[in-house]
Structure formats: structure tokens, C-alpha cells
Amino acid sequence: MSAEITLFVSPTAGRGRGAHAAQPAASALRGAGFSLRTVVGADAAPARLRAAVREGTLEAAGITACADGGPMGPLPVTALCVPAAVRVLS
């Protein structure tokens, strides 16, 4: 089982260099054996908020939640973040 990492990407960082650095960084992390999820945001504030949230609920009428490529069921869905369940590199 590989460790899971979330890569936060700001495409406008470094005058656009953030967008160009994301793919090589993702490839290197995958090559090192990590399971990777990429989150794109405009700046660091949303990334910090996403990393700090313990629990979140998604609600919308007529939408089916999916996980691992398959349907889970209709919204609302609440997700709980478990401390130390994944490693975050920044």
C-alpha cells in the first residue's frame, strides 16, 4: 500500500510557474510510490482551509456522490478527516 499525498497547486504562483511545476512534481511523487490527489486553487488561503477542515458536508439536489470511480449514493455526504491518516508535504 502506498502513502497518499495531496498536492496543492496554485497555477498563478511564481508568475505562472506553479502551473508548469505541478506536472513534474506529480510525476516525481508518483514515481516515488505515492498515491496522489491534486487540488488546484487560486492561492494559499483556500489550500490552508482545505488542509485544516476536519469535517465537511456536500449537499445538492439530484447529485450522486462517487468514490473510487463508482457511485456511493445521493447527496448529502459528510466526510471526516482522520488525523495522521495521510501525510501532507508542502
Side-chain angles (χ1 to χ4, degrees), residues 4-86:
E4 185 176 327
I5 292 179
T6 300
L7 176 64
F8 291 98
V9 177
S10 173
T12 58
R15 296 183 182 157
R17 291 188 303 267
H20 297 291
Q23 186 57 44
S27 295
L29 289 166
R30 284 189 185 102
F34 293 101
S35 172
L36 188 66
R37 179 178 76 128
T38 303
V39 176
V40 178
D43 57 38
R48 280 194 306 270
L49 178 61
R50 287 182 185 133
V53 171
R54 264 195 78 132
E55 185 175 306
T57 301
L58 297 173
E59 297 181 18
I63 302 294
T64 299
C66 295
D68 293 329
M72 271 182 25
L75 294 183
V77 172
T78 299
L80 174 67
C81 297
V82 179
V86 296

